[in-house]
Amino acid sequence: MHIRMNWNAVNFDWNHTRAFLVTAEEGTLSAAAKALGLTQPTLSRQVSALESDLGITLFERVGQRLVLTDSGMELLEHARLMADAALQFSLAATGQSQQIEGSVIVSAGELDAAFRLPKIIAKLRREEPGINIEVIVTNAASDLKRREADIAIRNFRPTQNDLIAKKLGEEVGWLYGTKDYLEQLPQFTDFSELKDIQIIGFDRSNLVSNVLNQQGWQLSKHNFKLITSFQLLQLELCKEGMGLIFFPEHLGDNDPSLIRAFEHMGPVIRLPVWLVCHQELRTSLRVRRVFDFIANEFSQFLDQ
Amino acid sequence: MHIRMNWNAVNFDWNHTRAFLVTAEEGTLSAAAKALGLTQPTLSRQVSALESDLGITLFERVGQRLVLTDSGMELLEHARLMADAALQFSLAATGQSQQIEGSVIVSAGELDAAFRLPKIIAKLRREEPGINIEVIVTNAASDLKRREADIAIRNFRPTQNDLIAKKLGEEVGWLYGTKDYLEQLPQFTDFSELKDIQIIGFDRSNLVSNVLNQQGWQLSKHNFKLITSFQLLQLELCKEGMGLIFFPEHLGDNDPSLIRAFEHMGPVIRLPVWLVCHQELRTSLRVRRVFDFIANEFSQFLDQ
DNA sequence: TAATTGGTATGCATATTCGTATGAACTGGA
DNA sequence: TCCAGTTCATACGAATATGCATACCAATTA
């Protein structure tokens, strides 16, 4: 028995709802337009049309800014849910897509993006010219659930169970420095004799120093006089002899201007490297191809 | 900190998703078209466009019927969820819409209330049956700030800068009288010969006589033996041949019993007509709707 | 006060989408 | 086999939505 459904309630322009949502989230029509690849007048008219359709004023036009009305705030929640559903739809659609042509978004850190991905992507492009690759370079982990990326390279095991992940190996990290910098360090028998050593840090969090101090170092803020989260700048500062950096083994060893510091103490840290992907995308031929390709190629850079 | 969202994943045509859903649920494009108030070719194209966008075949065109593919069936679930969200959005919207309670209060003068508003309100009621109109008829300007009215028709530019106003045009005012009354007036070459002419006045203020005297008349209290601020009484008294009245052009010309007096001298006065609105225009679509409607309809009565 | 910046709304030419009309393919029954 | 009744796809003129240019407005800066 077929139930005759009533579609009247959903018979409004869903795209206008998206226009409303993105405008509310981005704060301005202009920003929303840029985010959606449309123009500001179009967004303006779409939002107005939605207001007219619903019989509700969603935004107060106060001065140069749009401010959500109470009604608008109420509806924004529902619009978010609708967008979530749309996102799931999109994910599922990409997962169902069996055509190899299309684009895949890969999220990676700066070092991977700069030193390892170029060759991998070049090789992939040669083998699969139909696949376009977009690389998002970020320190923070991209949100795969929000679909900021299809595939991500990460240094921790993913927790969310709707993600599929493959451990590619382990990243071995050493401290590196220039030959000159290391030679001018005092011969030491105790870590306290290295109190003036300079390490170029990531940020003000004590992540690196904590790890090192656990191994007997006695590091404080004194030892991190240069701080940047941009790792390529860290590298160049190190090459200028400004201090040591924390760097992956395969990259550091291949750079003739870098030398392992305190090699006899062994590597500073071993980090797992995971390749992560949304579960829905497992069935996508295209995403799977890129996933497997990166997994295969990446291993050469890692300890197994 | 503001999280920069990625809207690419939801940047497909949501309406096409609805087209797909309804088509799948209804079984045929024709039925879906009827359900959505569209036509079958439109649905056909929207579904095709979605298939093209996603790179997926949603339906197998087998014979006269569309049959869902496996991918289509998979995606149908997600489309349903999206429609559920859309339904909730719609329900919330209509709830919010009805939550804007109270009627729209319009303030107008007697002449506008008696002669011009009836047709406008009737037409508005036909187009917007949900909007109740309350009309406040007053000579004095209603205080919008105290919300004695939402919308007011006025003859002067509003001073309070937080009110929204729109100039509708200009009211052209003449002196009118009955044919009989005008014919019994003496032929005159000088205003002094009209010292017994009767003009039905508004009140004891000299507003009208001042204006006329500036144009060469020599009027005094003698000429205002009948005074009432009730303009409809003025009109009826005039029609009884009791004297002249000061009356808007479009109203006077349309009344067969009235004739312009001293037409060769030109209109007595031109007054601007402003439509002014309470702050609530910003939050209430209904107020805005009435405002725009009156603004549009009123123009026919005025010089631009 | 004037210029600049960053925002929204509007007029207009254009590109896209839609509806009407029509055609083609399939189903079921005479 | 033919016909009536469906259904989906295509062509084309009309309606609609879009983008560009611009007006306009508020806030900030010189």
Short mmCIF file of all heavy atoms in Angstrom, two decimals, chain C residues 4-26:
data_model
loop_
_atom_site.label_atom_id
_atom_site.label_comp_id
_atom_site.label_asym_id
_atom_site.label_seq_id
_atom_site.Cartn_x
_atom_site.Cartn_y
_atom_site.Cartn_z
P DT C 4 39.94 58.62 -1.25
OP1 DT C 4 41.27 58.44 -1.83
OP2 DT C 4 38.75 58.73 -2.12
"O5'" DT C 4 39.70 57.44 -0.21
"C5'" DT C 4 40.46 57.43 1.02
"C4'" DT C 4 40.15 56.16 1.80
"O4'" DT C 4 39.01 56.39 2.67
"C3'" DT C 4 39.80 54.95 0.92
"O3'" DT C 4 40.51 53.83 1.39
"C2'" DT C 4 38.29 54.80 1.10
"C1'" DT C 4 38.07 55.34 2.51
N1 DT C 4 36.72 55.90 2.74
C2 DT C 4 36.06 55.57 3.91
O2 DT C 4 36.54 54.85 4.76
N3 DT C 4 34.82 56.15 4.05
C4 DT C 4 34.19 56.99 3.16
O4 DT C 4 33.08 57.44 3.39
C5 DT C 4 34.93 57.28 1.96
C7 DT C 4 34.34 58.18 0.92
C6 DT C 4 36.14 56.73 1.81
P DT C 5 40.42 52.43 0.61
OP1 DT C 5 41.78 51.90 0.47
OP2 DT C 5 39.57 52.61 -0.59
"O5'" DT C 5 39.63 51.51 1.64
"C5'" DT C 5 39.82 51.69 3.04
"C4'" DT C 5 38.73 50.96 3.80
"O4'" DT C 5 37.55 51.78 3.93
"C3'" DT C 5 38.27 49.64 3.14
"O3'" DT C 5 38.22 48.63 4.11
"C2'" DT C 5 36.89 49.99 2.59
"C1'" DT C 5 36.41 51.00 3.61
N1 DT C 5 35.36 51.93 3.12
C2 DT C 5 34.28 52.19 3.92
O2 DT C 5 34.13 51.70 5.01
N3 DT C 5 33.37 53.06 3.39
C4 DT C 5 33.43 53.68 2.15
O4 DT C 5 32.55 54.44 1.77
C5 DT C 5 34.58 53.35 1.35
C7 DT C 5 34.75 53.96 0.00
C6 DT C 5 35.49 52.51 1.87
P DG C 6 38.15 47.10 3.64
OP1 DG C 6 39.07 46.33 4.50
OP2 DG C 6 38.25 47.03 2.17
"O5'" DG C 6 36.68 46.71 4.05
"C5'" DG C 6 36.27 46.85 5.41
"C4'" DG C 6 34.77 46.68 5.47
"O4'" DG C 6 34.12 47.85 4.91
"C3'" DG C 6 34.26 45.48 4.67
"O3'" DG C 6 33.28 44.77 5.42
"C2'" DG C 6 33.65 46.11 3.43
"C1'" DG C 6 33.13 47.42 4.02
N9 DG C 6 32.92 48.45 3.02
C8 DG C 6 33.66 48.70 1.89
N7 DG C 6 33.20 49.68 1.17
C5 DG C 6 32.09 50.11 1.87
C6 DG C 6 31.17 51.15 1.59
O6 DG C 6 31.17 51.93 0.63
N1 DG C 6 30.18 51.25 2.56
C2 DG C 6 30.08 50.44 3.67
N2 DG C 6 29.08 50.68 4.51
N3 DG C 6 30.94 49.47 3.95
C4 DG C 6 31.90 49.36 3.01
P DG C 7 32.82 43.32 4.93
OP1 DG C 7 32.83 42.42 6.08
OP2 DG C 7 33.55 42.98 3.69
"O5'" DG C 7 31.31 43.60 4.50
"C5'" DG C 7 30.33 43.67 5.54
"C4'" DG C 7 29.23 44.62 5.15
"O4'" DG C 7 29.76 45.77 4.47
"C3'" DG C 7 28.22 44.09 4.13
"O3'" DG C 7 27.27 43.26 4.76
"C2'" DG C 7 27.56 45.39 3.66
"C1'" DG C 7 28.67 46.44 3.86
N9 DG C 7 29.12 47.04 2.60
C8 DG C 7 30.24 46.76 1.88
N7 DG C 7 30.37 47.48 0.80
C5 DG C 7 29.25 48.29 0.81
C6 DG C 7 28.83 49.30 -0.08
O6 DG C 7 29.38 49.66 -1.13
N1 DG C 7 27.63 49.88 0.32
C2 DG C 7 26.93 49.54 1.45
N2 DG C 7 25.80 50.21 1.68
N3 DG C 7 27.32 48.62 2.30
C4 DG C 7 28.47 48.04 1.92
P DT C 8 26.28 42.43 3.84
OP1 DT C 8 25.64 41.46 4.74
OP2 DT C 8 27.02 41.98 2.67
"O5'" DT C 8 25.20 43.48 3.37
"C5'" DT C 8 24.34 44.10 4.33
"C4'" DT C 8 23.33 44.99 3.62
"O4'" DT C 8 24.04 45.96 2.82
"C3'" DT C 8 22.39 44.25 2.66
"O3'" DT C 8 21.05 44.63 2.93
"C2'" DT C 8 22.83 44.69 1.28
"C1'" DT C 8 23.48 46.03 1.54
N1 DT C 8 24.57 46.31 0.59
C2 DT C 8 24.46 47.38 -0.26
O2 DT C 8 23.49 48.12 -0.28
N3 DT C 8 25.52 47.56 -1.12
C4 DT C 8 26.66 46.80 -1.19
O4 DT C 8 27.55 47.05 -2.01
C5 DT C 8 26.72 45.70 -0.28
C7 DT C 8 27.93 44.80 -0.27
C6 DT C 8 25.70 45.51 0.56
P DA C 9 19.91 44.01 2.02
OP1 DA C 9 18.70 43.97 2.87
OP2 DA C 9 20.40 42.78 1.39
"O5'" DA C 9 19.67 45.10 0.88
"C5'" DA C 9 19.17 46.38 1.26
"C4'" DA C 9 18.92 47.25 0.04
"O4'" DA C 9 20.17 47.45 -0.67
"C3'" DA C 9 17.94 46.68 -1.01
"O3'" DA C 9 17.12 47.74 -1.48
"C2'" DA C 9 18.85 46.15 -2.10
"C1'" DA C 9 20.03 47.11 -2.03
N9 DA C 9 21.29 46.52 -2.45
C8 DA C 9 21.91 45.40 -1.95
N7 DA C 9 23.05 45.11 -2.51
C5 DA C 9 23.21 46.12 -3.46
C6 DA C 9 24.23 46.40 -4.39
N6 DA C 9 25.32 45.63 -4.53
N1 DA C 9 24.08 47.49 -5.18
C2 DA C 9 22.98 48.24 -5.04
N3 DA C 9 21.96 48.09 -4.20
C4 DA C 9 22.14 47.00 -3.43
P DT C 10 15.90 47.45 -2.42
OP1 DT C 10 14.84 48.39 -2.03
OP2 DT C 10 15.63 46.00 -2.43
"O5'" DT C 10 16.43 47.88 -3.87
"C5'" DT C 10 16.84 49.22 -4.07
"C4'" DT C 10 17.31 49.41 -5.51
"O4'" DT C 10 18.62 48.82 -5.69
"C3'" DT C 10 16.42 48.77 -6.59
"O3'" DT C 10 16.30 49.69 -7.66
"C2'" DT C 10 17.21 47.55 -7.01
"C1'" DT C 10 18.63 48.07 -6.88
N1 DT C 10 19.67 47.04 -6.77
C2 DT C 10 20.81 47.17 -7.53
O2 DT C 10 20.97 48.08 -8.31
N3 DT C 10 21.73 46.18 -7.35
C4 DT C 10 21.64 45.10 -6.49
O4 DT C 10 22.54 44.27 -6.42
C5 DT C 10 20.43 45.01 -5.73
C7 DT C 10 20.23 43.89 -4.77
C6 DT C 10 19.52 45.99 -5.89
P DG C 11 15.12 49.53 -8.71
OP1 DG C 11 14.21 50.66 -8.48
OP2 DG C 11 14.60 48.14 -8.68
"O5'" DG C 11 15.88 49.75 -10.10
"C5'" DG C 11 16.90 50.75 -10.20
"C4'" DG C 11 17.61 50.63 -11.53
"O4'" DG C 11 18.74 49.72 -11.39
"C3'" DG C 11 16.78 50.08 -12.68
"O3'" DG C 11 17.20 50.69 -13.90
"C2'" DG C 11 17.09 48.58 -12.67
"C1'" DG C 11 18.55 48.58 -12.21
N9 DG C 11 18.93 47.42 -11.43
C8 DG C 11 18.20 46.84 -10.41
N7 DG C 11 18.80 45.81 -9.87
C5 DG C 11 20.00 45.72 -10.56
C6 DG C 11 21.07 44.80 -10.42
O6 DG C 11 21.16 43.87 -9.62
N1 DG C 11 22.09 45.06 -11.33
C2 DG C 11 22.09 46.07 -12.26
N2 DG C 11 23.15 46.16 -13.04
N3 DG C 11 21.09 46.93 -12.40
C4 DG C 11 20.09 46.71 -11.52
P DC C 12 16.42 50.36 -15.25
OP1 DC C 12 16.41 51.63 -16.02
OP2 DC C 12 15.15 49.66 -14.94
"O5'" DC C 12 17.40 49.35 -15.99
"C5'" DC C 12 18.78 49.68 -16.09
"C4'" DC C 12 19.55 48.50 -16.68
"O4'" DC C 12 19.81 47.53 -15.64
"C3'" DC C 12 18.82 47.75 -17.81
"O3'" DC C 12 19.74 47.49 -18.84
"C2'" DC C 12 18.36 46.46 -17.12
"C1'" DC C 12 19.52 46.24 -16.15
N1 DC C 12 19.21 45.36 -15.01
C2 DC C 12 20.16 44.41 -14.60
O2 DC C 12 21.24 44.35 -15.20
N3 DC C 12 19.88 43.61 -13.55
C4 DC C 12 18.70 43.71 -12.92
N4 DC C 12 18.46 42.89 -11.91
C5 DC C 12 17.72 44.66 -13.33
C6 DC C 12 18.01 45.46 -14.37
P DA C 13 19.18 47.26 -20.33
OP1 DA C 13 19.49 48.46 -21.11
OP2 DA C 13 17.80 46.74 -20.26
"O5'" DA C 13 20.13 46.08 -20.82
"C5'" DA C 13 21.55 46.26 -20.78
"C4'" DA C 13 22.24 44.92 -20.66
"O4'" DA C 13 21.89 44.30 -19.40
"C3'" DA C 13 21.85 43.91 -21.76
"O3'" DA C 13 23.02 43.27 -22.23
"C2'" DA C 13 20.90 42.96 -21.04
"C1'" DA C 13 21.41 42.99 -19.61
N9 DA C 13 20.36 42.74 -18.61
C8 DA C 13 19.13 43.35 -18.55
N7 DA C 13 18.40 42.93 -17.54
C5 DA C 13 19.20 42.00 -16.90
C6 DA C 13 19.01 41.20 -15.75
N6 DA C 13 17.89 41.22 -15.03
N1 DA C 13 20.02 40.38 -15.39
C2 DA C 13 21.14 40.37 -16.11
N3 DA C 13 21.45 41.07 -17.21
C4 DA C 13 20.42 41.87 -17.55
P DT C 14 22.88 42.08 -23.31
OP1 DT C 14 24.10 42.12 -24.13
OP2 DT C 14 21.54 42.16 -23.93
"O5'" DT C 14 22.95 40.77 -22.41
"C5'" DT C 14 24.01 40.63 -21.47
"C4'" DT C 14 23.85 39.32 -20.71
"O4'" DT C 14 22.74 39.41 -19.79
"C3'" DT C 14 23.57 38.10 -21.58
"O3'" DT C 14 24.43 37.06 -21.15
"C2'" DT C 14 22.11 37.77 -21.29
"C1'" DT C 14 22.00 38.22 -19.85
N1 DT C 14 20.62 38.52 -19.37
C2 DT C 14 20.18 37.89 -18.22
O2 DT C 14 20.85 37.12 -17.59
N3 DT C 14 18.89 38.24 -17.85
C4 DT C 14 18.04 39.11 -18.49
O4 DT C 14 16.92 39.32 -18.07
C5 DT C 14 18.57 39.72 -19.68
C7 DT C 14 17.74 40.68 -20.46
C6 DT C 14 19.82 39.40 -20.06
P DA C 15 24.79 35.83 -22.08
OP1 DA C 15 26.24 35.87 -22.43
OP2 DA C 15 23.78 35.72 -23.14
"O5'" DA C 15 24.56 34.63 -21.05
"C5'" DA C 15 24.91 34.82 -19.69
"C4'" DA C 15 24.20 33.79 -18.83
"O4'" DA C 15 22.87 34.24 -18.50
"C3'" DA C 15 24.02 32.42 -19.49
"O3'" DA C 15 24.25 31.43 -18.51
"C2'" DA C 15 22.57 32.43 -19.96
"C1'" DA C 15 21.91 33.30 -18.91
N9 DA C 15 20.74 34.05 -19.39
C8 DA C 15 20.63 34.72 -20.58
N7 DA C 15 19.47 35.32 -20.74
C5 DA C 15 18.78 35.03 -19.57
C6 DA C 15 17.50 35.38 -19.12
N6 DA C 15 16.64 36.11 -19.83
N1 DA C 15 17.11 34.93 -17.91
C2 DA C 15 17.97 34.18 -17.19
N3 DA C 15 19.20 33.79 -17.51
C4 DA C 15 19.55 34.25 -18.72
P DT C 16 24.36 29.89 -18.87
OP1 DT C 16 25.67 29.42 -18.40
OP2 DT C 16 23.94 29.71 -20.28
"O5'" DT C 16 23.26 29.24 -17.92
"C5'" DT C 16 23.08 29.78 -16.61
"C4'" DT C 16 21.66 29.60 -16.17
"O4'" DT C 16 20.79 30.48 -16.92
"C3'" DT C 16 21.09 28.19 -16.38
"O3'" DT C 16 20.84 27.64 -15.11
"C2'" DT C 16 19.82 28.41 -17.21
"C1'" DT C 16 19.51 29.87 -16.97
N1 DT C 16 18.74 30.56 -18.05
C2 DT C 16 17.49 31.07 -17.77
O2 DT C 16 16.97 30.98 -16.67
N3 DT C 16 16.88 31.70 -18.82
C4 DT C 16 17.37 31.86 -20.10
O4 DT C 16 16.73 32.44 -20.96
C5 DT C 16 18.68 31.30 -20.32
C7 DT C 16 19.31 31.44 -21.67
C6 DT C 16 19.30 30.69 -19.31
P DT C 17 20.32 26.11 -14.95
OP1 DT C 17 20.84 25.59 -13.69
OP2 DT C 17 20.57 25.41 -16.24
"O5'" DT C 17 18.74 26.28 -14.79
"C5'" DT C 17 18.25 27.24 -13.88
"C4'" DT C 17 16.74 27.36 -14.02
"O4'" DT C 17 16.41 28.12 -15.21
"C3'" DT C 17 16.02 26.02 -14.16
"O3'" DT C 17 14.95 25.98 -13.23
"C2'" DT C 17 15.51 26.02 -15.61
"C1'" DT C 17 15.36 27.50 -15.90
N1 DT C 17 15.49 27.89 -17.34
C2 DT C 17 14.53 28.70 -17.90
O2 DT C 17 13.56 29.11 -17.29
N3 DT C 17 14.75 29.03 -19.23
C4 DT C 17 15.81 28.63 -20.02
O4 DT C 17 15.89 28.98 -21.18
C5 DT C 17 16.78 27.78 -19.35
C7 DT C 17 17.97 27.30 -20.12
C6 DT C 17 16.57 27.46 -18.06
P DC C 18 14.04 24.69 -13.04
OP1 DC C 18 13.77 24.56 -11.59
OP2 DC C 18 14.63 23.57 -13.80
"O5'" DC C 18 12.68 25.12 -13.74
"C5'" DC C 18 12.11 26.38 -13.40
"C4'" DC C 18 10.96 26.70 -14.33
"O4'" DC C 18 11.51 27.09 -15.61
"C3'" DC C 18 10.04 25.53 -14.59
"O3'" DC C 18 8.72 25.83 -14.15
"C2'" DC C 18 10.09 25.30 -16.10
"C1'" DC C 18 10.70 26.58 -16.64
N1 DC C 18 11.58 26.37 -17.82
C2 DC C 18 11.32 27.03 -19.03
O2 DC C 18 10.34 27.77 -19.10
N3 DC C 18 12.14 26.82 -20.09
C4 DC C 18 13.20 26.02 -19.98
N4 DC C 18 13.98 25.85 -21.03
C5 DC C 18 13.48 25.34 -18.75
C6 DC C 18 12.66 25.54 -17.71
P DG C 19 7.57 24.69 -14.18
OP1 DG C 19 6.71 24.91 -13.00
OP2 DG C 19 8.22 23.39 -14.39
"O5'" DG C 19 6.73 25.04 -15.49
"C5'" DG C 19 6.23 26.36 -15.65
"C4'" DG C 19 5.52 26.50 -16.99
"O4'" DG C 19 6.53 26.48 -18.04
"C3'" DG C 19 4.54 25.37 -17.31
"O3'" DG C 19 3.38 25.91 -17.92
"C2'" DG C 19 5.32 24.47 -18.26
"C1'" DG C 19 6.24 25.45 -18.97
N9 DG C 19 7.53 24.86 -19.36
C8 DG C 19 8.35 24.07 -18.59
N7 DG C 19 9.44 23.70 -19.20
C5 DG C 19 9.34 24.29 -20.45
C6 DG C 19 10.23 24.24 -21.56
O6 DG C 19 11.32 23.65 -21.64
N1 DG C 19 9.75 24.99 -22.64
C2 DG C 19 8.57 25.68 -22.65
N2 DG C 19 8.28 26.34 -23.77
N3 DG C 19 7.72 25.73 -21.63
C4 DG C 19 8.17 25.02 -20.57
P DT C 20 2.18 24.96 -18.35
OP1 DT C 20 0.94 25.64 -17.96
OP2 DT C 20 2.47 23.59 -17.87
"O5'" DT C 20 2.26 24.94 -19.95
"C5'" DT C 20 2.32 26.17 -20.67
"C4'" DT C 20 2.46 25.90 -22.17
"O4'" DT C 20 3.81 25.45 -22.43
"C3'" DT C 20 1.53 24.80 -22.70
"O3'" DT C 20 0.93 25.23 -23.91
"C2'" DT C 20 2.45 23.61 -22.93
"C1'" DT C 20 3.79 24.29 -23.23
N1 DT C 20 4.98 23.48 -22.85
C2 DT C 20 6.00 23.31 -23.77
O2 DT C 20 5.99 23.77 -24.88
N3 DT C 20 7.05 22.55 -23.30
C4 DT C 20 7.18 21.96 -22.06
O4 DT C 20 8.16 21.30 -21.77
C5 DT C 20 6.08 22.17 -21.16
C7 DT C 20 6.10 21.58 -19.78
C6 DT C 20 5.05 22.92 -21.58
P DA C 21 -0.14 24.30 -24.69
OP1 DA C 21 -1.11 25.20 -25.33
OP2 DA C 21 -0.60 23.24 -23.77
"O5'" DA C 21 0.75 23.63 -25.82
"C5'" DA C 21 1.65 24.42 -26.59
"C4'" DA C 21 2.47 23.53 -27.51
"O4'" DA C 21 3.55 22.94 -26.77
"C3'" DA C 21 1.68 22.37 -28.14
"O3'" DA C 21 1.94 22.32 -29.53
"C2'" DA C 21 2.20 21.14 -27.41
"C1'" DA C 21 3.62 21.56 -27.06
N9 DA C 21 4.18 20.88 -25.89
C8 DA C 21 3.56 20.67 -24.68
N7 DA C 21 4.31 20.04 -23.80
C5 DA C 21 5.50 19.82 -24.49
C6 DA C 21 6.71 19.20 -24.11
N6 DA C 21 6.91 18.65 -22.91
N1 DA C 21 7.71 19.16 -25.03
C2 DA C 21 7.50 19.70 -26.23
N3 DA C 21 6.40 20.32 -26.69
C4 DA C 21 5.44 20.34 -25.76
P DT C 22 1.25 21.25 -30.45
OP1 DT C 22 1.11 21.85 -31.78
OP2 DT C 22 0.08 20.71 -29.72
"O5'" DT C 22 2.35 20.11 -30.54
"C5'" DT C 22 3.70 20.46 -30.88
"C4'" DT C 22 4.61 19.27 -30.70
"O4'" DT C 22 4.88 19.04 -29.29
"C3'" DT C 22 4.05 17.96 -31.24
"O3'" DT C 22 4.82 17.54 -32.35
"C2'" DT C 22 4.16 16.98 -30.06
"C1'" DT C 22 5.15 17.68 -29.15
N1 DT C 22 5.04 17.31 -27.72
C2 DT C 22 6.14 16.79 -27.09
O2 DT C 22 7.20 16.62 -27.64
N3 DT C 22 5.94 16.48 -25.77
C4 DT C 22 4.77 16.62 -25.05
O4 DT C 22 4.71 16.29 -23.87
C5 DT C 22 3.65 17.16 -25.77
C7 DT C 22 2.34 17.36 -25.09
C6 DT C 22 3.84 17.48 -27.06
P DG C 23 4.43 16.21 -33.15
OP1 DG C 23 4.58 16.49 -34.58
OP2 DG C 23 3.15 15.70 -32.61
"O5'" DG C 23 5.60 15.22 -32.71
"C5'" DG C 23 6.95 15.68 -32.68
"C4'" DG C 23 7.84 14.64 -32.02
"O4'" DG C 23 7.61 14.65 -30.59
"C3'" DG C 23 7.56 13.20 -32.49
"O3'" DG C 23 8.79 12.54 -32.70
"C2'" DG C 23 6.77 12.60 -31.35
"C1'" DG C 23 7.35 13.33 -30.14
N9 DG C 23 6.44 13.42 -29.00
C8 DG C 23 5.16 13.91 -29.00
N7 DG C 23 4.58 13.86 -27.82
C5 DG C 23 5.55 13.30 -27.00
C6 DG C 23 5.51 12.98 -25.63
O6 DG C 23 4.56 13.16 -24.84
N1 DG C 23 6.70 12.42 -25.19
C2 DG C 23 7.80 12.19 -25.99
N2 DG C 23 8.85 11.65 -25.40
N3 DG C 23 7.86 12.47 -27.27
C4 DG C 23 6.70 13.02 -27.71
P DA C 24 8.78 11.16 -33.46
OP1 DA C 24 9.83 11.26 -34.51
OP2 DA C 24 7.40 10.78 -33.82
"O5'" DA C 24 9.30 10.14 -32.35
"C5'" DA C 24 10.42 10.49 -31.52
"C4'" DA C 24 10.56 9.46 -30.41
"O4'" DA C 24 9.61 9.77 -29.35
"C3'" DA C 24 10.27 8.03 -30.83
"O3'" DA C 24 11.19 7.16 -30.19
"C2'" DA C 24 8.85 7.79 -30.35
"C1'" DA C 24 8.83 8.63 -29.08
N9 DA C 24 7.50 9.09 -28.70
C8 DA C 24 6.54 9.63 -29.50
N7 DA C 24 5.44 9.96 -28.87
C5 DA C 24 5.71 9.64 -27.54
C6 DA C 24 4.94 9.75 -26.38
N6 DA C 24 3.71 10.25 -26.33
N1 DA C 24 5.51 9.33 -25.22
C2 DA C 24 6.75 8.82 -25.25
N3 DA C 24 7.56 8.67 -26.29
C4 DA C 24 6.97 9.10 -27.42
P DA C 25 11.29 5.64 -30.63
OP1 DA C 25 12.72 5.38 -30.94
OP2 DA C 25 10.25 5.35 -31.62
"O5'" DA C 25 10.93 4.87 -29.28
"C5'" DA C 25 11.62 5.21 -28.08
"C4'" DA C 25 10.91 4.55 -26.91
"O4'" DA C 25 9.69 5.28 -26.63
"C3'" DA C 25 10.50 3.09 -27.17
"O3'" DA C 25 10.85 2.30 -26.06
"C2'" DA C 25 9.00 3.16 -27.36
"C1'" DA C 25 8.64 4.35 -26.47
N9 DA C 25 7.40 5.02 -26.86
C8 DA C 25 7.03 5.46 -28.10
N7 DA C 25 5.85 6.04 -28.13
C5 DA C 25 5.41 5.98 -26.81
C6 DA C 25 4.24 6.43 -26.19
N6 DA C 25 3.25 7.04 -26.82
N1 DA C 25 4.12 6.21 -24.85
C2 DA C 25 5.12 5.59 -24.21
N3 DA C 25 6.27 5.12 -24.70
C4 DA C 25 6.35 5.36 -26.01
P DC C 26 11.00 0.73 -26.21
OP1 DC C 26 12.33 0.35 -25.69
OP2 DC C 26 10.58 0.34 -27.56
"O5'" DC C 26 9.91 0.22 -25.18
"C5'" DC C 26 9.94 0.71 -23.85
"C4'" DC C 26 8.55 0.68 -23.24
"O4'" DC C 26 7.67 1.58 -23.95
"C3'" DC C 26 7.85 -0.70 -23.33
"O3'" DC C 26 7.81 -1.26 -22.03
"C2'" DC C 26 6.46 -0.39 -23.87
"C1'" DC C 26 6.35 1.12 -23.76
N1 DC C 26 5.48 1.77 -24.78
C2 DC C 26 4.23 2.28 -24.38
O2 DC C 26 3.88 2.20 -23.20
N3 DC C 26 3.42 2.86 -25.32
C4 DC C 26 3.83 2.94 -26.58
N4 DC C 26 3.01 3.52 -27.46
C5 DC C 26 5.08 2.43 -27.01
C6 DC C 26 5.86 1.85 -26.08
#
